[in-house]
Amino acid sequence: MFQMTYALRRNGLCTALAIALAGTVALPAHAQDTAPGGADELDRIVVTAQKREQQIEDVPLSISAYSGDFLQEQGISDYGDLGSLVPGLEVQTQSVSNPSVSIRGITADLDDPTQEPRISLFQDGVSISRSRGSSVEMFDMARVEVLRGPQGTLFGRAAEIGAIHFIQNKARTGTSGNFELGVGSHDQRKFTGAYNTDLGDNVQGRIAAFYETRDGYVENLDGGTLQGKDTRALRGSLHVDIGESSGIDVILNYQKDTPPGTAFRSQVIPNLQGSLDPYTANSQRGTELGTDRDVYGATVLGDFAINDNWSLSTITGWRRHDGLDKFDSDGSQADLIEFTEDAWGNQFSQEVRFNFDNGGKFTGFVGGSYFDENANRDLHYQADERQLYALLSPQINTNTAGLLGSALANYYFPIVPLLNPDATPNTSRTSTWLPVPGIVTPTPTNPAGFLQVPLNPDHRETFGNDVDIRAFELFADGTWRFNDQWSLTMGLRGSRESVEYGYFADPGNASSLGFLLSGRGTPACGAPPCNNLLFPATAGRLSASETYNSWVGRAVLGYALSPDINTYASVSRGRRPNMINVSDLGSEEVDAEIVWSYELGMKGNAAAGRFVYDLSLFYYDYNDFQASVVNDAPPPFFVTKNAGKAHALGFEASLFGRFNDNVNGWFNYAYIDGGFNAFDDDGTYQALAGNRFRMTPKQSVSIGLDWTIPLTSGDSLYVRPSYSWRSQVYFEDQNQPGIEQDGYGLLNLRAGWRFNEKWEVGIWGNNLADEEYLTDAGNTGLLFGIPTVIAGPDRSFGVNLRAKF
């Protein structure tokens, strides 16, 4: 049955920041004892949405949260599936090292470590927002919480537009355990389990493990499959009671991912079967494609009672991610855009918070935090210059028309014949020259030296960027209750951050083709600047640094229409930090992105507590919007630019109901109209005027049912169908026709048999209608004129066995 999540941690202390409606886990005994109403009423309990105890309907925020049991029963262990449960949330997992998260129209999926996230992801109070380390398995979870709207006061510098908080089960008193075994289509194998026990009078321990492997759902004609999974994760936690009302939790996490590669599929170059089908790839390097990633984490949570009115909460976190990702960005059998990415990073954070609650009209907290992060990415590029010349000859003609004359300027060498090794002798990988038809072979005295162009069949080069961040923050937040109906909540957070951005490009191989493409530099690669193909070489590492001061805040006015209905009106200020683009051409600072959020909300229950609802209407006003656009100078990649003003208007609704003792249901709806304004503050027409935000459907709907069928033996059967639908989306802010996905819906079903109170056998099926759809399009290939797509998961099914003891 659907119930509110029990948010209190041991001894009534909790560091959770938000909670809302949850799933099917039964409430702890003392929470059940306090739940009002009869059997048909959805239980209501005390939650800690604002770091203090409140009834759920008193929390003036747009929040969705789901218990770990509910997530497990819905088959959700990857947060890529959360988008079907939370209105206004879109999650697409291109790969384990590149998830895409969007809240209310704003997407955070940038792989460049120098670009700051707009959405905070937290694990037990510790930021995991850096994309290369943010994809974590949701196993042995207490709950997942999603806050929509600027959350800088509660979550810090990266929560400009929202936050997702993963709260893991901690060690607790008593001995218990559980496990799940599963097999499924695509040769899926899965195990997850947890064991909890007392280690002493005041010490408890818990260990949890996860393993899942499955082949990819995209066949690769060059060998193996793509879009698969191979993940192992291990967690250990320890709880120590200190007196009657204080305690410390220590949590250690490790995750290892070695999945096959990402299924980029060209929509220009057919595979060897002559097809552009996104479910049949022809990616170079075959089974060598894939990810090898390690993520480590250590967290220490402390809750200490100072006196009856004051308590102290501390959060100490350390994380490291280290990953190698090999991918074929042209999505074809051509040797055009082959990358290997080496990404790693370290971070340390410390938060100290003093909480005040004397049972009177005012409750609040004040504190400070420190954040130290270093993130790096080296990108190794490889290509056959002969094939790349054929692809990019129009650009070369433009850049060299004045140098080589009209003969080369009018020449175009098509790419497709080069993909068939029998089509032309020029495709021999042993050849290092591609003679240009119609042009006389140069003599030794020719100063240009490009009329016969030496092209490397195995060109390689490397560039990298990095960022060092140190941030100090002070924050305070509190609520004053004027009477039983009116309240005012205000919060403020100030930040001082010192950042250094770095960039380098190694000389690599000499590339005459690079000279032709860029039109700058020297033909030889004897000393910097050298003519790399994509990334002009630098004289070592270039850097730029700066220190910024900023603030974010919120003000919320609450009004209780009745004991069962609460409303609120809020205004808040969010910020995406300043950044500096560093390249061989110099450095360019990008202003901080500022958003003002205005929101009206209503939440409560109806029909004697059998239905619970959460409604919100919001408007966002962005200034200095940081958009990811194609660079207007080499290298031809996405860079962050100031796109001026933007806006978003939206409405969200979450409904949960208990129709009778055995049937529960939920319904979510979101409408978002977000995009770029026509004019900036100076009245200048904007480059992206009228365009919609990328990855943002105007409308989304999800609905689900949980039907339990009691049996005379005391056992039971269950049936849980769910359906989600998204309207059309563009995959880039430029809104290019064809780089989009039309509206589509996905039907899932889970069913099973519970017996002997502790055992359960179930079957499941996802995308039962076998809907074909895209999770991404455009990508790096778009910059070379050969856009790629990534297909969404096809129909899958399986069985599982669960037990609790």
Side-chain angles (χ1 to χ4, degrees):
M1 59 184 176
F2 287 91
Q3 298 172 326
M4 303 292 182
T5 294
Y6 175 61
L8 299 179
R9 208 166 66 195
R10 302 176 50 89
N11 303 319
L13 298 174
C14 184
T15 59
L17 301 182
I19 190 64
L21 298 175
T24 59
V25 59
L27 292 173
H30 59 281
Q32 290 176 329
D33 291 341
T34 61
D40 290 335
E41 182 178 355
L42 282 169
D43 298 322
R44 292 174 292 169
I45 63 169
V46 174
V47 296
T48 54
Q50 301 176 105
K51 304 183 183 181
R52 51 188 179 272
E53 298 180 2
Q54 295 174 285
Q55 291 284 341
I56 180 65
E57 58 265 34
D58 294 334
V59 180
L61 296 171
S62 290
I63 316 165
S64 296
Y66 299 90
S67 73
D69 280 11
F70 174 75
L71 295 172
Q72 185 182 49
E73 292 175 356
Q74 294 296 317
I76 295 175
S77 60
D78 184 329
Y79 72 77
D81 298 321
L82 282 177
S84 63
L85 296 176
V86 179
L89 174 68
E90 301 293 327
V91 184
Q92 299 288 0
T93 305
Q94 183 184 97
S95 71
V96 70
S97 57
N98 195 26
S100 172
V101 182
S102 175
I103 293 181
R104 289 181 170 177
I106 300 301
T107 302
D109 65 348
L110 299 174
D111 55 4
D112 188 337
T114 65
Q115 301 183 28
E116 291 293 330
R118 291 183 172 102
I119 298 169
S120 280
L121 278 73
F122 275 72
Q123 188 178 55
D124 289 323
V126 176
S127 174
I128 59 171
S129 302
R130 186 66 59 187
S131 67
R132 289 304 184 250
S134 66
S135 183
V136 293
E137 286 298 325
M138 300 191 304
F139 67 101
D140 194 33
M141 299 293 294
R143 61 191 178 275
V144 175
E145 309 166 350
V146 181
L147 288 80
R148 303 183 296 279
Q151 303 297 334
T153 303
L154 298 175
F155 279 90
R157 61 192 300 276
E160 180 202 17
I161 212 64
I164 302 176
H165 195 188
F166 305 100
I167 302 172
Q168 303 169 122
N169 279 323
K170 314 299 188 300
R172 60 180 183 268
T173 302
T175 299
S176 62
N178 63 79
F179 71 85
E180 176 182 345
L181 297 170
V183 296
S185 55
H186 303 302
D187 200 25
Q188 185 223 28
R189 301 290 187 272
K190 181 178 180 179
F191 166 80
T192 183
Y195 179 72
N196 186 98
T197 190
D198 293 310
L199 301 177
D201 291 340
N202 298 308
V203 182
Q204 299 85 39
R206 187 179 186 91
I207 188 169
F210 177 93
Y211 171 75
E212 184 177 6
T213 180
R214 60 169 168 79
D215 295 337
Y217 55 84
V218 174
E219 178 188 4
N220 187 4
L221 298 179
D222 281 68
T225 61
L226 302 171
Q227 297 300 125
K229 185 171 186 176
D230 192 347
T231 296
R232 304 158 182 84
L234 185 66
R235 181 187 313 131
S237 59
L238 188 73
H239 179 84
V240 180
D241 287 318
I242 303 175
E244 295 183 356
S245 55
S246 300
I248 294 176
D249 284 290
V250 180
I251 307 107
L252 303 178
N253 280 287
Y254 172 70
Q255 181 167 320
K256 176 74 170 181
D257 299 283
T258 55
T262 303
F264 296 106
R265 182 70 197 97
S266 175
Q267 293 302 284
V268 175
I269 304 173
N271 60 30
L272 290 178
Q273 297 176 346
S275 170
L276 297 176
D277 177 18
Y279 290 91
T280 306
N282 223 151
S283 294
Q284 289 265 64
R285 294 187 284 178
T287 56
E288 293 182 22
L289 298 175
T291 300
D292 187 350
R293 187 190 73 149
D294 297 276
V295 180
Y296 309 84
T299 304
V300 180
L301 307 176
D303 285 312
F304 308 98
I306 300 174
N307 55 40
D308 291 342
N309 301 329
W310 287 92
S311 66
L312 170 67
S313 298
T314 65
I315 304 174
T316 306
W318 170 85
R319 278 179 59 84
R320 175 176 175 82
H321 68 270
D322 196 341
L324 188 70
D325 201 1
K326 298 180 180 181
F327 49 98
D328 180 4
S329 290
D330 57 70
S332 74
Q333 63 273 32
D335 195 1
L336 297 170
I337 321 172
E338 307 291 323
F339 281 110
T340 297
E341 180 192 78
D342 189 4
W344 70 99
N346 295 277
Q347 74 175 54
F348 172 81
S349 60
Q350 177 66 60
E351 178 179 307
V352 177
R353 185 179 73 249
F354 292 92
N355 311 290
F356 175 79
D357 186 353
N358 66 353
K361 291 187 174 183
F362 178 79
T363 55
F365 60 85
V366 62
S369 65
Y370 171 71
F371 182 80
D372 188 332
E373 181 185 36
N374 172 259
N376 305 263
R377 178 187 67 166
D378 290 354
L379 200 59
H380 310 280
Y381 172 67
Q382 182 272 326
D384 184 334
E385 287 190 329
R386 301 163 303 174
Q387 296 184 19
L388 197 63
Y389 170 80
L391 175 69
L392 300 179
S393 55
Q395 177 65 43
I396 295 172
N397 296 344
T398 300
N399 289 351
T400 61
L403 176 64
L404 302 181
S406 59
L408 181 59
N410 293 328
Y411 175 75
Y412 180 79
F413 194 8
I415 180 66
V416 174
L418 283 177
L419 304 183
N420 185 344
D422 299 324
T424 169
N426 290 330
T427 59
S428 170
R429 295 187 66 87
T430 61
S431 172
T432 59
W433 293 84
L434 182 63
V436 179
I439 302 297
V440 178
T441 302
T443 65
T445 59
N446 181 5
F450 290 101
L451 298 184
Q452 180 171 300
V453 182
L455 298 177
N456 189 344
D458 188 22
H459 174 81
R460 296 173 184 268
E461 62 187 73
T462 297
F463 96 101
N465 47 15
D466 61 87
V467 64
D468 283 289
I469 301 172
R470 288 173 178 81
F472 296 89
E473 298 183 322
L474 296 175
F475 53 85
D477 192 276
T479 297
W480 180 269
R481 289 199 165 275
F482 300 101
N483 51 45
D484 291 340
Q485 289 184 299
W486 291 96
S487 66
L488 177 64
T489 299
M490 301 189 70
L492 185 67
R493 181 182 291 254
S495 301
R496 180 176 178 83
E497 51 203 18
S498 298
V499 294
E500 178 178 301
Y501 298 90
Y503 172 85
F504 79 92
D506 283 341
N509 306 128
S511 174
S512 298
L513 184 58
F515 178 83
L516 297 176
L517 285 171
S518 66
R520 58 191 175 99
T522 58
C525 200
C530 299
N531 293 112
N532 281 350
L533 186 55
L534 295 184
F535 311 102
T538 63
R541 177 180 180 270
L542 309 177
S543 65
S545 59
E546 191 55 84
T547 298
Y548 302 105
N549 298 314
S550 65
W551 68 274
V552 295
R554 66 169 182 157
V556 187
L557 183 65
Y559 178 72
L561 291 174
S562 73
D564 297 324
I565 303 175
N566 285 279
T567 63
Y568 64 88
S570 70
V571 58
S572 55
R573 184 182 192 264
R575 170 184 176 267
R576 189 188 194 192
N578 307 65
M579 69 161 295
I580 303 175
N581 288 321
V582 181
S583 72
D584 66 304
L585 298 177
S587 60
E588 177 187 16
E589 182 174 341
V590 181
D591 292 336
E593 176 181 297
I594 303 298
V595 58
W596 283 95
S597 167
Y598 309 91
E599 183 169 337
L600 299 174
M602 175 184 293
K603 54 180 62 180
N605 67 87
R610 291 188 294 112
F611 293 93
V612 176
Y613 56 88
D614 188 343
L615 311 175
S616 58
L617 177 68
F618 61 89
Y619 180 78
Y620 292 163
D621 183 16
Y622 291 91
N623 289 285
D624 299 319
F625 190 92
Q626 296 177 3
S628 182
V629 299
V630 179
N631 196 12
D632 54 8
F637 283 93
F638 292 103
V639 295
T640 299
K641 296 286 187 179
N642 188 334
K645 295 184 67 64
H647 68 278
L649 172 68
F651 170 77
E652 296 165 345
S654 294
L655 307 175
F656 290 75
R658 178 180 296 171
F659 304 106
N660 56 47
D661 288 346
N662 300 316
V663 181
N664 306 290
W666 49 270
F667 172 84
N668 292 321
Y669 172 79
Y671 170 84
I672 302 173
D673 182 11
F676 298 92
N677 295 7
F679 300 95
D680 63 17
D681 287 329
D682 298 326
T684 303
Y685 191 76
Q686 300 189 147
L688 298 176
N691 287 7
R692 285 165 45 195
F693 291 147
R694 58 187 294 262
M695 304 291 288
T696 303
K698 276 199 170 184
Q699 298 188 77
S700 60
V701 177
S702 62
I703 187 169
L705 196 68
D706 188 345
W707 178 27
T708 299
I709 306 171
L711 303 177
T712 56
S713 62
D715 300 340
S716 62
L717 304 176
Y718 62 84
V719 180
R720 301 185 186 118
S722 63
Y723 179 79
S724 61
W725 178 84
R726 302 287 187 271
S727 65
Q728 182 263 4
V729 299
Y730 289 107
F731 290 108
E732 303 294 346
D733 285 332
Q734 286 83 356
N735 289 186
Q736 299 98 318
I739 310 300
E740 58 188 296
Q741 169 62 53
D742 292 335
Y744 68 94
L746 300 178
L747 175 65
N748 302 328
L749 177 66
R750 308 185 75 83
W753 171 39
R754 293 194 190 100
F755 58 98
N756 293 337
E757 297 183 352
K758 298 180 179 180
W759 292 88
E760 178 182 318
V761 175
I763 60 173
W764 59 269
N766 293 331
N767 189 10
L768 291 177
D770 205 19
E771 181 82 12
E772 293 188 358
Y773 64 101
L774 303 178
T775 61
D776 206 352
N779 304 303
T780 303
L782 178 65
L783 307 177
F784 292 77
I786 48 173
T788 61
V789 300
I790 299 176
D794 61 359
R795 179 168 48 221
S796 58
F797 48 85
V799 299
N800 52 46
L801 171 69
R802 293 180 189 154
K804 295 183 179 181
F805 54 90

